[in-house]
Amino acid sequence: FLFIDLGTKLGFDGKSEPVAFVLVLLSLPVIVYGLAYIMTLMGIFVADTFYGHPFLRSLGMGAVTTDWAAFIMYLGIPILTVIITLLKKKDNWWE
């Protein structure tokens, strides 16, 4: 949406807003940095999960406890949240 907004502020829709275009253009590094940070965190999460949760195991829990804790944090709580919101018959259960 950022690139669509760049074209809109530049005047492709008939009205040009040069100040707004510059402001949208200046927000581009912030968006790129934020996305790179999220990708880094997700990469660390995947590596930690793939190699058997060494971070969680360093907290002093055993292998079984670590696996159950990871299951509850990464799958159990989100699935339970979806089930509860569906049972409440909310229109926007995905939020």
Side-chain angles (χ1 to χ4, degrees), residues 23-89:
L23 292 176
V24 171
L25 192 62
L26 289 176
S27 72
L28 190 62
V30 176
I31 296 292
V32 170
Y33 178 77
L35 291 175
Y37 187 69
I38 289 172
M39 288 173 57
T40 302
L41 289 177
M42 289 295 106
I44 292 170
F45 164 74
V46 168
D48 187 54
T49 304
F50 183 75
Y51 291 113
H53 310 290
F55 173 71
L56 290 177
R57 287 198 182 154
S58 71
L59 299 177
M61 299 184 295
V64 175
T65 308
T66 301
D67 288 340
W68 273 105
F71 168 75
I72 289 170
M73 285 189 297
Y74 301 133
L75 290 174
I77 293 173
I79 289 172
L80 188 62
T81 304
V82 168
I83 289 171
I84 290 172
T85 54
L86 284 173
L87 288 175
K88 289 174 114 179
K89 296 181 182 176

